[in-house]
Amino acid sequence: MEQSGLSSRVGASLLAVVVGLATVPPVGAVEPVVGTIQVSGAAWVASSSTDWSRLSSTRPLVAGDRLRTGSDGYLLADLGDAGVVGLYGNAEVATTSAGSGPVVEVQKGKVAFHLSPNSRMKLNAQGTGIASGTMAADGYVEYDANGTPVVVVEDGALNVRTASGATKTLSRGDRLALGGPKAPAPVQIAQAEDDSSRKAGAVAGE
């Protein structure tokens, strides 16, 4: 009887330990994997807990990763059915995971994107959010010489929301400077080129 009681107590103790371990969150739990990364040329990755390290092969894209490319580098981040992001040379982004899906913060250089219809992925640049609607969208965000991010829609349509809450819908050919307190009117690329030509002609005729 005594031996049976001891066995019961040991069994109960082991069960308590197992239940306790199961309810304790793992130390250093990793962020969710949101896609894969492929690189060509010089590219680096860092996170809140790791310094910059050179990327040389395909690896998972984890929420919280910061990515940057050298002058000769190109990086492709494939986020599955959400879309694709491509970093040209001397570009930098930071990734996070919001409740609805991954967020890519464009911080430097030129970053191209493909967003699926109603994509879970969002892009941000200086407080302005970029998302797709019912249509797929192709385009890029690029910082100009003044450090202002500009979004260009090459195909489809985008919804742009500024930090102040102003919204704009951009269509194919639209170009919009981001980062200001108000949402300026989008400018068609062809119109901008015509305006530049007229200004050049006026200067030449003086």
Side-chain angles (χ1 to χ4, degrees):
M1 292 292 293
E2 184 177 349
Q3 184 175 359
S4 176
L6 178 61
S7 297
S8 298
R9 288 196 298 273
V10 170
S13 298
L14 287 174
L15 179 61
V17 170
V18 170
V19 171
L21 289 175
T23 57
V24 174
V27 177
V30 298
E31 294 287 346
V33 174
V34 295
T36 58
I37 302 170
Q38 301 178 50
V39 299
S40 174
W44 294 265
V45 61
S47 71
S48 59
S49 59
T50 61
D51 293 329
W52 291 105
S53 60
R54 183 75 177 260
L55 285 167
S56 59
S57 60
T58 301
R59 69 179 289 275
L61 173 63
V62 178
D65 280 348
R66 296 168 56 201
L67 307 168
R68 65 182 174 93
T69 52
S71 58
D72 64 340
Y74 184 80
L75 184 150
L76 181 70
D78 185 346
L79 287 85
D81 59 3
V84 178
V85 173
L87 279 67
Y88 288 85
N90 292 323
E92 185 172 336
V93 302
T95 64
T96 56
S97 181
S100 58
V103 178
V104 178
E105 176 75 29
V106 182
Q107 299 178 333
K108 178 184 176 183
K110 181 178 180 179
V111 176
F113 58 82
H114 167 76
L115 297 175
S116 304
N118 297 312
S119 175
R120 297 178 295 105
M121 177 170 61
K122 306 292 188 293
L123 287 89
N124 281 334
Q126 291 191 0
T128 299
I130 301 168
S132 64
T134 57
M135 298 177 62
D138 294 296
Y140 60 88
V141 176
E142 183 174 19
Y143 279 77
D144 64 17
N146 298 318
T148 300
V150 177
V151 61
V152 174
V153 183
E154 297 179 308
D155 198 15
L158 286 174
N159 297 319
V160 176
R161 184 181 181 87
T162 68
S164 64
T167 60
K168 288 288 182 181
T169 298
L170 308 183
S171 302
R172 180 178 179 178
D174 283 345
R175 178 182 186 276
L176 181 67
L178 309 175
K182 298 181 180 179
V187 176
Q188 280 279 330
I189 295 174
Q191 176 186 336
E193 291 175 347
D194 289 344
D195 290 344
S196 297
S197 298
R198 284 195 292 271
K199 289 179 181 178
V203 171
E206 292 177 352

